[in-house]
Amino acid sequence: MKGAIHPLLLQKGTMIVSAKLQLIKDRRSIRAYTGEQVQERDLQAILEAAMYAPSPGGSQPWFFTVIQNRELIKELSEASKEVARNKDIEFLKALGNNPEFHAFHNAPTVIIVSGDAREPFATAACAAATQNMLLAAEFLGLGACWVNFGLLVFEGYKGDIYREKLGIPGGYKPLFSVTLGYRRGDKPQAAPRKSNIVNYIR
Ligand SMILES: Cc1cc2nc3c(=O)[nH]c(=O)nc-3n(C[C@H](O)[C@H](O)[C@H](O)COP(=O)(O)O)c2cc1C
């Protein structure tokens, strides 16, 4: 269409800035996916985005585990639900007892982000890497969701079994995970933003 600017095209001038900032606001947690597997080039771009996150002193204290085996993803979900059922927190218990609930939302790809326990602030760096993946997924037109429920498995008696099965290196702690796939259905609306949360001292 004449005069229309594709949102993914880089243009000179202020349009570039606004399109990039809009991307951040447009990202939503996606919890319904088509059956299609993530394309390899998209997966690699998302992982690379993670690896370019800031880290203390450039320590890059992360390790990424990409799981594209649906049975294994389901196993991790079920093992996490088992742990959730034994928690004292009501909403976790309820999810653990819900036969319909899949901790990774039936996504075809899950990436677990583990942090080097010897590095100070590894958790913060891994959180930055996780957010980079969500933004990269949005940019590439994929759906993604930050998922911590699915890591409850590592708190239970099966934790070490799965740590070994997944090849998570010794000294690294699974901290966050991201589901990836192609969105099925509409994108959810963003919740209204809180106000009165900025103090300016000038
Ligand atoms: C640390 C953290 C843990 C989260 N864990 C889960 C999770 O286990 N399952 C899930 O569906 N969403 C999870 N989320 C996603 C939030 O529910 C989501 O970001 C929030 O509802 C706001 O929605 P939005 O991402 O669309 O803006 C998590 C987000 C963060 C930052």
Side-chain angles (χ1 to χ4, degrees):
M1 199 172 33
K2 197 164 177 261
I5 298 165
H6 190 285
L8 299 185
L9 284 182
L10 291 181
Q11 297 279 321
K12 288 221 159 108
T14 54
M15 268 311 292
I16 306 172
V17 176
S18 62
K20 284 181 180 173
L21 289 180
Q22 192 59 41
L23 183 101
I24 294 171
K25 290 165 74 177
D26 283 347
R27 180 214 57 80
R28 293 276 71 75
S29 292
I30 301 304
R31 300 185 176 91
Y33 300 95
T34 69
E36 198 186 337
Q37 186 52 277
V38 175
Q39 289 187 28
E40 190 59 29
R41 63 163 192 266
D42 288 346
L43 175 65
Q44 294 307 323
I46 289 165
L47 287 166
E48 194 176 34
M51 293 168 200
Y52 274 83
S55 60
S59 58
Q60 303 176 42
W62 40 58
F63 187 86
F64 303 97
T65 307
V66 179
I67 313 171
Q68 294 188 311
N69 177 314
R70 282 176 188 279
E71 286 82 54
L72 182 54
I73 294 173
K74 178 85 179 159
E75 259 182 57
L76 291 169
S77 169
E78 288 303 319
S80 292
K81 287 171 71 177
E82 202 179 317
V83 174
R85 286 196 284 276
N86 293 314
K87 291 264 182 199
D88 283 336
I89 304 162
E90 252 344 283
F91 89 93
L92 290 181
K93 234 190 229 305
L95 288 173
N97 281 315
N98 180 353
E100 305 294 314
F101 178 67
H102 188 300
F104 300 103
H105 310 299
N106 290 299
T109 295
V110 172
I111 301 177
I112 296 177
V113 185
S114 301
D116 187 340
R118 294 157 301 191
E119 288 288 341
F121 307 115
T123 305
C126 288
T130 303
Q131 175 69 359
N132 270 14
M133 288 199 277
L134 300 182
L135 294 177
E138 175 68 26
F139 181 78
L140 295 167
L142 272 92
C145 186
W146 184 318
V147 166
N148 268 36
F149 186 102
L151 302 184
L152 286 175
V153 53
F154 298 108
E155 294 180 21
Y157 70 96
K158 291 181 184 164
D160 284 342
I161 299 169
Y162 280 107
R163 216 174 262 125
E164 190 169 335
K165 199 166 178 175
L166 295 169
I168 295 170
Y172 281 74
K173 185 177 187 292
L175 294 171
F176 310 115
S177 82
V178 167
T179 59
L180 287 176
Y182 296 95
R183 175 164 54 89
R184 181 164 52 80
D186 293 336
K187 196 185 245 192
Q189 286 262 314
R193 298 294 103 178
K194 285 186 176 177
S195 52
N196 299 323
I197 51 150
V198 182
N199 184 27
Y200 297 94
I201 300 160
R202 288 170 167 154

